[in-house]
Amino acid sequence: MAAEWQSTACILCECNCGIVVQVEDRTLSRIRGDKNHPASQGYTCNKALRLDHYQNNRARLTSPMRRRADGSYEEIDWETAIVEIAEGFKHIRDTYGGDKIFYYGGGGQGNHLGGAYSGAFLKALGSKYRSNALAQEKTGEAWVDGHLYGGHTRGEFEHAEVSVFIGKNPWMSQSFPRARVVLNEIAKDPDRSLIVIDPVVTDTAKMSDFHLRVRPGTDAWCLAALAAVLVQENLCNEAFLAEHVHGFDTVRDALRDISIADYAQRCGVDAELLRTAARRIGTAESVSVFEDLGVQQAPNSTLSSYLNKLLWIFTGNFAKKGGQHLHSSLASLFSTVSGRTPVTGAPIIAGLIPSNAVPEEILTDHPDRFRAMIVESANPAHSLADSTACREAFQSLELMVVVDVAMTETARLAHYVLPAASQYEKTEATFFNFEFPHNGFHLRRPLLKPLPGTLPEPEIWTRLVRALGVLDDADLRPLRDAAQQGREAYAEAFLNAVAGNPTMARLVPYVLYETLGPTLPEGMAGAAAVWGLAQKTAMTYPDAVRRAGHADGNALFDAILDNPSGVVFTAHNYEDDFALITHSDHKIAVEIPEMLHDLRALSDAPPQLTTDELPIVLSVGERRAYTANDIFRDPSWRKRDADGALRVSVEDAQDLGLVDGCRARITTAAGSAEATIEITETMLPGHAALPNGFGLDYIGEDGKTVVPGVAPNALTSTGWRDSYAGTPWHKHVPARIELCRADAKAHV
């Protein structure tokens, strides 16, 4: 008999498409799209079909590890690990203060429940500083969003007449449901248009009606010119602006005198093409816009985030079918915490320390430096700028603990490494829930029991909180009894308990796991935290939750448990968008003084960031058909581009004497590496690209360690960052490319 098909999800990008899997002998033997998933509806890309390379590979950890004095590691039992780690963090807290304990991570793609529980441990210690991968990408956009309307927006591309992608190649990076299906539908419809702003002729750009092929790093001039055309040619929706927007007149004044021809020349885009694209935006019935890392990790990134949002705000493409939308959230990925870091004074946006500032907050004798660190389901020693500085910083910590499935580059710097169950061995979920008007949530059931010696993160954090001794069992007993009586009794007892016990209120995920968790189906105790999120969601969006078919928070939680392919948790009306604006008057506020200052400063020439010594703009982290996030350590999943080639233009190849397949050395201010060359017409002269997901070591079948491709952050610098958000300029690294000597001799 064939194995049963079980519902789960892909974990390789933020879409987390639903898949169904057959499991045989602990392998994911067959994988296909799940037609019952409310968002992906059976869609998946090629990468999901290779997920057994994540689940079963020789990099898995199966025992807690403790570092010896000589730097080697020894296996220890879980009880010893929990006791020693808890005592170590208590020592840091009692000696220096809990705020000297820094947390990085919270879950990779689709691995978010552990992050919900680690928060209880951090609060018990008094830790308050944190960061994760979002601080490398999205905090500049979050800063702008907070000023404009107070939340995150997403375009409704499925219905948009005009879709605009800025530094974004959704054919490869996906990021919204059924991306390739939607892109094909747009390309085939003569009444719809696709606009791409990107220096690279990406797969999406090849499908576009308008490709604004900007010079690397000049997106802000292109976007300012587009907005200026809307103003100067009276293409703005004056009625919408008058009713729903504050500050438009001030912004209009800043755009009125921009020379379109001048800005077009500066960004390298034909002026008439730029005008035509702006007119298409200004006359469309609906417009959706998506920015991504191509601009978010480049110069003027925060200003570019601001300017691209003006395109849909000026044209009134909000709260309408096919437009841009605020959306409900089961759990917010960002917090409202702001401020400055304790050592360098770097901006804290949405609760996150800029990743580029992390080494500087450790490598100092400042009394407020971070002295200990927790890393959960992340690999910052590999993924943050300037890997050398990160390694030095992490090695200087008094205590570092990593929770992960593998002995990563970061784990090898830790004092303790705790082996987590894989994403398919535990209850898991993603909080990348961005859709509108119908938003979905997918609680994934375990396909397999945890590999012996591993534990799900909720259990790890619960054991650590227990070891701190912050709550007595007597405090939890009434809730355990109430949980046995049903959801209604538990809800009443829980609200009374947290209202009367401040410690319990600070440790809500831990309390839920300990009391509600045991009543949930086998293997699903980690879902206990979702009960709390369901209650909050029902209170925050009561009408939308009821429209989705859930009477209250308990009904929503039961629906989440009972639907293995996911469930729609909110169903909005389009006019709900205005209520989701957090400003008291529920209007968009476009006048942001800092952004207007930078907009006016664009009248100066774009700065020349490359030099005669480093004349090439290197973009690192390009998404390709056979690249994925760093959880795919086993390189054998790749069918093409096994070494992660350095892509260069035809013109640069001719100038530098490069041929396809040769080896070249690429050098930046931070370091150098060798790469295989791929010559392509998709790159502009003076622009080169390396992919993401490479430079990870792996032990092959022959027992030898292999390290395919280049680790991108061996070439990046923490000093190259956005002035507002501190996000790195990974897409604009000055570099030099030279043919390797051996290849040069062979070529001669």
Side-chain angles (χ1 to χ4, degrees):
M1 292 180 62
E4 174 190 2
W5 288 99
Q6 301 181 63
S7 298
T8 185
C10 177
I11 54 175
L12 299 177
C13 87
E14 68 186 80
C15 285
N16 299 114
C17 296
I19 56 176
V20 290
V21 176
Q22 286 184 337
V23 178
E24 297 178 0
D25 299 325
R26 290 192 66 88
T27 67
L28 311 185
S29 59
R30 297 184 66 192
I31 300 171
R32 67 188 186 199
D34 184 356
K35 295 180 180 180
N36 294 321
H37 190 274
S40 57
Q41 301 171 25
Y43 171 90
T44 186
C45 74
N46 67 297
K47 299 179 186 182
L49 307 181
R50 312 294 290 172
L51 279 165
D52 193 62
H53 285 76
Y54 157 75
Q55 172 59 35
N56 292 294
N57 68 82
R58 283 172 293 279
R60 288 291 303 275
L61 285 170
T62 57
S63 172
M65 307 292 286
R66 179 174 59 196
R67 193 170 78 196
R68 299 185 180 100
D70 64 1
S72 63
Y73 284 85
E74 60 183 341
E75 294 185 359
I76 57 175
D77 61 81
W78 273 102
E79 183 177 358
T80 299
I82 294 296
V83 169
E84 292 185 3
I85 290 169
E87 289 300 317
F89 281 118
K90 282 196 289 185
H91 171 74
I92 297 291
R93 178 196 63 192
D94 296 343
T95 305
Y96 307 110
D99 60 339
K100 309 307 184 296
I101 300 169
F102 175 58
Y103 174 83
Y104 189 94
Q109 302 282 12
N111 191 50
H112 291 168
L113 285 186
Y117 290 96
S118 60
F121 182 65
L122 297 171
K123 287 181 179 179
L125 291 169
S127 172
K128 65 179 184 179
Y129 293 109
R130 62 186 299 152
S131 192
N132 58 39
L134 293 173
Q136 290 211 85
E137 306 165 356
K138 306 299 181 184
T139 43
E141 182 184 14
W143 185 87
V144 170
D145 285 342
H147 284 78
L148 290 174
Y149 29 68
H152 177 265
T153 63
R154 177 58 61 87
E156 195 180 1
F157 300 100
E158 185 175 4
H159 300 298
E161 181 181 330
V162 173
S163 295
V164 185
F165 296 104
I166 307 162
K168 173 72 178 173
N169 179 17
W171 188 265
M172 282 300 172
S173 61
Q174 311 289 327
S175 299
F176 58 89
R178 303 167 54 251
R180 293 186 178 181
V181 172
V182 172
L183 290 172
N184 277 323
E185 289 173 349
I186 295 171
K188 292 176 182 177
D189 190 336
D191 296 325
R192 302 172 72 183
S193 293
L194 181 61
I195 299 174
V196 172
I197 302 174
D198 201 307
V200 181
V201 184
T202 63
D203 307 86
T204 308
K206 292 174 184 176
M207 306 173 71
S208 67
D209 301 279
F210 305 88
H211 180 197
L212 310 186
R213 198 178 185 190
V214 295
R215 294 192 186 98
T218 64
D219 306 270
W221 282 266
C222 179
L223 291 163
L226 289 171
V229 172
L230 297 177
V231 166
Q232 295 172 19
E233 298 191 8
N234 300 314
L235 295 171
C236 299
N237 187 328
E238 299 291 343
F240 174 86
L241 293 167
E243 185 175 359
H244 298 295
V245 176
H246 277 313
F248 172 63
D249 289 341
T250 304
V251 181
R252 174 163 46 192
D253 289 343
L255 293 164
R256 200 189 305 270
D257 297 327
I258 282 177
S259 168
I260 307 303
D262 179 33
Y263 277 38
Q265 189 276 329
R266 295 186 190 200
C267 68
V269 177
D270 178 78
E272 190 55 35
L273 174 62
L274 198 151
R275 287 183 179 276
T276 305
R279 291 166 186 153
R280 185 69 181 97
I281 293 170
T283 57
E285 286 296 320
S286 59
V287 178
S288 287
V289 180
F290 202 131
E291 66 169 81
D292 211 348
L293 305 191
V295 292
Q296 291 172 341
Q297 294 185 337
N300 291 303
S301 57
T302 300
L303 177 62
S304 294
S305 292
Y306 172 69
L307 292 171
N308 83 66
K309 295 172 193 302
L310 297 185
L311 302 180
W312 57 263
I313 295 172
F314 282 7
T315 53
N317 283 288
F318 180 69
K320 62 191 293 188
K321 189 174 183 178
Q324 206 79 7
H325 304 287
L326 291 161
H327 53 80
S328 52
S329 298
L330 198 78
S332 176
L333 295 173
F334 293 118
S335 79
T336 58
V337 175
S338 61
R340 296 280 172 175
T341 60
V343 173
T344 67
I348 297 173
I349 298 173
L352 301 175
I353 285 179
S355 56
N356 278 24
V358 169
E360 299 168 1
E361 297 290 326
I362 299 171
L363 289 173
T364 174
D365 59 0
H366 194 287
D368 292 328
R369 68 186 181 275
F370 297 139
R371 306 210 177 227
M373 186 171 176
I374 301 170
V375 179
E376 180 182 8
S377 300
N379 190 6
H382 179 268
S383 62
L384 297 190
D386 195 344
S387 300
T388 300
C390 288
R391 287 194 297 271
E392 183 183 355
F394 299 160
Q395 287 173 321
S396 74
L397 292 164
E398 295 180 35
L399 177 61
M400 184 177 182
V401 175
V402 169
V403 180
D404 213 316
V405 297
M407 201 70 170
T408 65
E409 288 69 18
T410 305
R412 292 188 207 112
L413 306 172
H415 297 90
Y416 295 88
V417 186
L418 300 180
S422 83
Q423 292 202 39
Y424 297 110
E425 297 168 352
K426 62 194 175 194
T427 301
E428 256 304 348
T430 174
F431 298 131
F432 292 134
N433 316 114
F434 301 142
E435 306 314 315
F436 188 99
H438 299 98
N439 209 349
F441 179 72
H442 187 190
L443 182 71
R444 311 192 308 269
R445 302 174 179 180
L447 303 180
L448 304 154
K449 291 185 180 298
L451 198 65
T454 70
L455 291 175
E457 290 94 335
E459 178 64 22
I460 294 173
W461 296 116
T462 296
R463 292 187 184 191
L464 284 167
V465 174
R466 283 184 202 143
L468 294 178
V470 291
L471 277 177
D472 294 330
D473 192 65
D475 296 319
L476 301 173
R477 192 173 302 116
L479 285 178
R480 289 195 178 104
D481 294 340
Q484 298 295 329
Q485 300 171 32
R487 298 270 193 270
E488 295 295 335
Y490 182 79
E492 182 179 356
F494 176 82
L495 292 174
N496 290 333
V498 297
N501 187 328
T503 301
M504 195 173 288
R506 286 190 298 118
L507 307 179
V508 164
Y510 166 76
V511 172
L512 291 172
Y513 185 87
E514 289 278 62
T515 59
L516 181 63
T519 70
L520 300 181
E522 182 181 359
M524 297 190 71
V530 177
W531 178 86
L533 297 175
Q535 307 305 316
K536 184 177 180 180
T537 300
M539 290 187 287
T540 305
Y541 318 104
D543 295 336
V545 168
R546 283 193 290 270
R547 282 191 216 106
H550 317 295
D552 55 22
N554 282 331
L556 173 57
F557 180 61
D558 286 338
I560 289 170
L561 287 178
D562 294 341
N563 287 274
S565 294
V567 65
V568 172
F569 67 89
T570 50
H572 285 281
N573 294 323
Y574 285 104
E575 57 268 24
D576 289 352
D577 265 328
F578 296 109
L580 294 173
I581 297 174
T582 61
H583 302 322
S584 59
D585 59 3
H586 298 293
K587 292 187 177 183
I588 299 171
V590 296
E591 185 178 349
I592 305 176
E594 298 92 334
M595 295 293 94
L596 293 178
H597 173 272
D598 284 7
L599 172 59
R600 296 185 180 100
L602 291 180
S603 59
D604 298 330
Q608 186 68 33
L609 301 177
T610 54
T611 65
D612 291 340
E613 183 70 16
L614 301 171
I616 301 288
V617 172
L618 172 67
S619 295
V620 300
E622 184 182 38
R623 307 274 184 91
R624 300 180 186 173
Y626 282 92
T627 67
N629 54 42
D630 291 353
I631 65 172
F632 254 16
R633 298 190 71 88
D634 181 353
S636 65
W637 78 279
R638 296 188 179 96
K639 297 299 182 183
R640 298 196 303 271
D641 195 22
D643 291 327
L646 173 66
R647 289 179 173 170
V648 301
S649 70
V650 173
E651 296 84 352
D652 288 335
Q654 291 173 344
D655 290 344
L656 298 170
L658 307 175
V659 296
D660 265 322
C662 75
R663 298 286 289 176
R665 176 160 293 278
I666 185 161
T667 302
T668 71
S672 66
E674 287 189 11
T676 301
I677 291 294
E678 177 187 339
I679 302 170
T680 171
E681 294 180 350
T682 65
M683 304 300 296
L684 283 170
H687 191 204
L690 281 169
N692 70 317
F694 282 84
L696 301 165
D697 59 47
Y698 188 77
I699 300 175
E701 292 183 3
D702 58 2
K704 296 181 179 179
T705 299
V706 295
V707 186
V710 176
N713 287 303
L715 301 172
T716 59
S717 169
T718 58
W720 288 64
R721 65 179 87 169
D722 180 73
S723 59
Y724 292 98
T727 44
W729 291 353
H730 287 340
K731 307 305 180 187
H732 204 97
V733 181
R736 179 175 69 255
I737 301 173
E738 302 164 292
L739 183 66
C740 288
R741 291 183 179 179
D743 282 88
K745 291 179 180 178
H747 186 57
V748 172

